[in-house]
Each structure stands twice: as structure tokens, then as C-alpha cells.
Amino acid sequence: MPVKRLKKEQMRLRTLSSLRGKAIEDMRFQMMNYIQCQIHQETRVEQILDHIATIDYSKTDTMCSLFETTIRYLGGMISAYDLLKGPSSHLVSDPAKVDVLLEQSKNLADVLKFAFDTKSGIPANGLNITAQKTDGGTTNGIATIGTLVLEWTRLSDLTNSAEYAKLVQRAESHLLNPKPSSAEPFPGLIGQNLDINTGLFQDDYVSWGGGSDSFYEYLIKMYVYDQKRFGKYKDRWVAAAESTMEHLKSSPSHRPDLTFVATYSRGTYSLQSGHLNCFNGGNFLLGGQVLGRGDFTDFGLKLVDGCQATYSATATKIGPEGFGWDPKKVPENQRDFYKKAGFYITTSYYNLRPEVIESIYHAYRMTKNRKVSEADSCFSNLKSSHVFICSTNNGHGMPS
């Protein structure tokens, strides 16, 4: 924090400390807490920037995932750069410090880019950064391929170097134009795994869950990022969304009020889903808002309701990692639960997933006053179950 501003905030603290009276006391407490939080935030941001400047991304003792490293490290630094150069610029006293985020993003991408050195341009995911070698895997999935394009394209745009965007967009081209045709059983909905050398799909397994999820998520987000350049991404997302509503929409036979998305492979539907899939409600809401499509918005709200119901029905009021609604596969010890809840639990742990709350937040933003209580409930349940939650704004991640 700049010295002048720090002195000003300290003076405000001293002034507030002298105020008395219950109403004034409440205001004083809130203002002091706010000011102290601002000072704390700015100090921590400076510390983080100083630390990032010291990192050597070319060395590590373990294998790493291109996908995970991109969405967390590269995406985190680029996002922080955009924020600290824009709406959050007040959190740094020296704007030059922010530049290290872009410098280190470029350094990291340069370390990772050998992953794309394949015949098809589809990257390997398991990497030995220090040795600049892959794990020898011959396939990669649509999520781990298709969830690189936003971060690497943004890096190219920020650095005026087309190299990074070309790498990821070449890989993405295999997903936008899937081969063979059997890999696309429904328009826009594609299989999950590709051969790294040939670029050909190895299956027709269709899902909005882990392994496929963020490919669909990023299609519409690329269009939001730049509508002129990524119109085809939008078209493919629309095709996938329409096919999902027509072919994958599913409800428990005795709970038509619940809406889930099934999976498909080789002519067979599987009535199962999970926490990772629950981003889809928010994704449909985003697409509906951007494209002015009320059918997408309505379907998105139904998906949000369905996933929120997986929280409210359990003993802990926290949703399971995996669940199903196939009446032929209900575990004997969950029959009563299934009759009431409309689903049964296939994987019972909670793995710190944000998808349900993220989709509820999208619903809140879309409807202005809808779903706030559900989000409050989800956070409260996590807190009461001793899951650590980092509070922002009014403590629930919602604007006051």
C-alpha cells in the first residue's frame, strides 16, 4: 500500500476508535474490519508477487500434468495479471511488480510447450519438465486437450506472440472436427479419448463429467472471450447443448422434478452423474445469457436445481462425488433413500468440489434474487462439517 494511503487509513482507524454509542460502535467495528482487511490483502498480494518472481518453473522433482499446470499456474498468473492491471490495481503499490506475472507466465509456457511436439499437434499430458520428456502416453482426453485454449490464447494476446495460440488451437482443431464420424454420435457431442499421433478418436463415450467436462465449458467461454475469432467454438457448443437437451436429458422415473444429464456410449445410456458434472447448469446459463436463448437458460436452471438437490437430500447436506438414478442398480441399503431423494450415492466422499456452488452463483446472477439461500445453505453445510471455506464479501461469496 502506498505510504500516503497507509497513513490515511491509519488516521481513519484512530478516528473510528474514538467513536462511541451502539450504532456507532457497530459501524466502527465494520469499518475497522474492512480497513484492516484491505491492508492485509495488499500486504499479502505484495508477498505473493515477490515469491512468484523467485520461482524457477524449469525444475521439479515430480511429473506434472499439462492440464493441471495450465489451469492452475498459468491460468492463475494470467488472471491475476489482468486483475492487478485492471480492477484490482489498488492492491499493489508498485505497478511494475505486476509485470512479473506475465514474464513468469511466458517462462512457464516455454517450459511446457514441448508437450505439443507430436505428429498431430495433440499434446501429451504427463510431463517430466526437468528432462523435457513425456510419460510416454499415447492418448489424451478432450478435457485435458480442450482446456488449454483460453489460457494459451490469452498469453499470445498479452505478449503479441502467436506461438502459444497456434499450439493450442491446432490441438483444438481435432476436437472441433472429430474423426472418424462415429466419434460424434450426436451433433456437437464427441467421444473422450484421442490417439496423440494420429489425432483420431478412440471411442464415442459422451459425457459432461470428468474427462470431458471442461472441453464443453471452454467452447462457449472462448466465444465470450472473442466473438469475432471464435464463432465456430460457439457453433459447436450450441450443437452440443441442443443435443444434450434432446438426447441426454434424464429424470428419475418417480422424480420428474429432478433433471440430470446421462452419459452415452455404443448405443447405451448410463444413468449416472457426479459433482464434476454439476458445472453444466452454470455453463448452460452462461450460454443462454450470451446467446439470448431462453431454452438454454431454463434447462440450466433445472440442472442447478437437480444438483442442489443432491446436497439437500443427504444426511450431511453435502452432495456426493458420484450418484445415479437407474432403478435397476439401486443398492439394497439405499432403496428407501432412493425412493425419497430420487438418486442413490455411488461415491460418498466430498472432494472440495466447487461446481454446485459455482452453478448456483450463475443462477443468482441470472435471476438477481434466486438461489442465494441455496448457496448460503451449501456454504453453511460445508462449514458445519469442518470443511475450510475462505470467506469473501459477506462471507458467502455473494455480493452484499
Side-chain angles (χ1 to χ4, degrees), residues 218-235:
Y218 271 42
L219 288 177
I220 191 64
K221 288 184 176 179
M222 287 302 290
Y223 179 70
V224 171
Y225 177 61
D226 192 324
Q227 296 185 7
K228 292 183 179 180
R229 283 191 287 170
F230 299 109
K232 183 169 184 177
Y233 288 65
K234 178 262 293 180
D235 294 341

Side-chain angles (χ1 to χ4, degrees), residues 75-93:
M77 289 192 292
I78 292 174
S79 297
Y81 177 84
D82 280 335
L83 287 169
L84 293 175
K85 285 291 187 177
S88 298
S89 59
H90 63 282
L91 292 177
V92 289
S93 58

